[in-house]
Amino acid sequence: MTSPTTGRLRVDGATLHYEVRGRGPLLLLIPGGAGGAASFDGVADDLAADYTVAAYDPRGLSRSPLDDLDAQQQVAQHADDAFRVLELLSPDAPARVVGCSSGAIVALHLLATHPERIERVVAHEPPVVEVLPDAVEHRALLARVQDTFHRDGLMPAAAVFAAGLRRPGADPVDAQAATELPPQVTARAERTMANMPYFIGRIVPSFMAYAPDVDRLKALSDRLVLAGGADSRGELPYRSAAFLAERFSTELIHFPGGHTGLSTHPAEFGELLRKVLSA
C-alpha cells in the first residue's frame, strides 16, 4: 500500500485529517460508520492510478478532533466539511464523490447543495430511512438504540442497532458469519472501537433522522449512482437505496458483499467502483 500525503484542514468547529494519493481529477471518498480514511485503504491505491484520491476522517472520528466534544452533529455540517476538502483539493474542477453508509448520506447532501462542484456521486447504501413508507418503525428503532445506550451502555445499544438493520427474519448467527472480516481488516476495526460511542450516540440519531430533498436529488439523478450490496437485499440501508433508485427510475448497482462490502471484498468492490466512476 502506498503511503499517502496527509494534511489537516481547519473547518468550523473541528480540524479534519485528510489523505491524498495519485494524480488526475479529484475523487473524494467519504467514509461511513465509525471508520475514517483507513476504511478505503483496500481500494485507494488502485483508484489512484486514475484519480487524485482524497479520503478523510469525519469530524469527531479518529484524527479529526472537535473543538467542542459535546457539539451536536448534523448532516449539513458534515457535508460542508466534505465541500471544504473538495474546494481545497480541486478548486477549479468538479469532482467525483463516493460515500458509504452514513458517508453516503453526506454525499447526497453534498450533491443537493453543491451540484455545480460534483461530476458524479456513488452512494452505497445510504440509510436515509425517512424516505421509506414505514419510517415510523425506524424512528422507534432509533429511540430504542438511544435508550439502551444511555441505560445499558455501548455494546447493548450496538446490538439493538445491528438487529434493527437486518432483514426481517434473518438469523443473527448467519448474519454475523456473513460479515466476518479478513484479519487485516479486523485489526483496523478494533482500532475504530474508540469511535463507537460517538457514532452510536451522536451520528446515528442525527443522520438517520435526516430527510433528503428527494425532488432535488431526482432532478440531479443523472449524476447520482445508487448502490447496494449483493448480499444485503432486504436490510434497512439497502432498502433506502433501492427506494430512491426506484423513485428516480434509475438502476440500483449491486456491489460485492453486503453493507460492509468495501471491507470484505475490497478488490472486487474497487474494480466495480472504477467502472461505475468512468461510465
Side-chain angles (χ1 to χ4, degrees):
M1 184 177 67
T2 303
S3 296
T5 300
T6 63
R8 298 177 68 78
L9 175 63
R10 277 294 303 165
V11 293
D12 184 21
T15 301
L16 302 181
H17 168 91
Y18 66 90
E19 303 177 354
V20 182
R21 298 172 173 87
R23 296 179 61 183
L26 181 65
L27 171 58
L28 180 63
L29 306 177
I30 307 178
S39 300
F40 292 98
D41 281 352
V43 300
D45 278 348
D46 286 344
L47 293 169
D50 300 313
Y51 302 101
T52 296
V53 177
Y56 65 99
D57 295 344
R59 62 170 57 219
L61 294 175
S62 299
R63 298 157 291 185
S64 292
L66 298 170
D67 296 347
D68 177 5
L69 296 180
D70 296 323
Q72 295 299 312
Q73 300 305 304
Q74 302 295 332
V75 171
Q77 190 169 45
H78 281 249
D80 188 68
D81 292 345
F83 174 70
R84 301 298 168 187
V85 176
L86 189 159
E87 287 286 276
L88 174 70
L89 299 177
S90 184
D92 301 318
R96 294 170 176 85
V97 178
V98 175
C100 294
S101 192
S102 56
I105 298 179
V106 174
L108 292 178
H109 193 83
L110 180 63
L111 175 62
T113 52
H114 296 286
E116 74 286 351
R117 301 292 286 111
I118 307 297
E119 183 169 329
R120 175 164 294 191
V121 165
V122 179
H124 185 271
E125 295 201 358
V128 281
V129 299
E130 284 294 316
V131 306
L132 296 173
D134 55 351
V136 63
E137 297 180 15
H138 310 308
R139 294 179 201 135
L141 166 65
L142 296 179
R144 291 197 303 274
V145 171
Q146 292 308 300
D147 288 346
T148 304
F149 181 59
H150 294 298
R151 183 182 65 247
D152 301 325
L154 173 63
M155 297 314 293
V160 172
F161 182 56
L165 298 183
R166 288 197 294 267
R167 68 178 64 86
D171 186 334
V173 175
D174 290 344
Q176 178 66 32
T179 57
E180 289 181 354
L181 303 178
Q184 68 275 19
V185 177
T186 300
R188 187 174 72 230
E190 291 172 353
R191 294 196 300 270
T192 70
M193 279 301 295
N195 293 326
M196 283 295 291
Y198 171 79
F199 173 67
I200 293 291
R202 299 294 177 83
I203 298 297
V204 167
S206 175
F207 278 48
M208 291 185 69
Y210 168 78
D213 187 337
V214 174
D215 291 338
R216 175 71 165 160
L217 291 173
K218 184 175 183 178
L220 297 164
S221 60
D222 60 328
R223 283 179 252 179
L224 174 60
V225 177
L226 289 157
D231 299 334
S232 53
R233 289 175 172 86
E235 295 178 2
L236 191 53
Y238 178 98
R239 288 183 56 213
S240 300
F243 181 92
L244 289 178
E246 183 177 2
R247 180 73 176 269
F248 301 159
S249 300
T250 59
E251 180 184 5
L252 181 70
I253 304 297
H254 286 92
F255 276 71
H259 189 64
T260 58
L262 174 66
S263 295
T264 60
H265 298 71
E268 300 93 332
F269 195 102
E271 181 180 359
L272 180 55
L273 188 56
R274 288 181 71 175
K275 293 178 181 177
V276 169
L277 288 168
S278 62

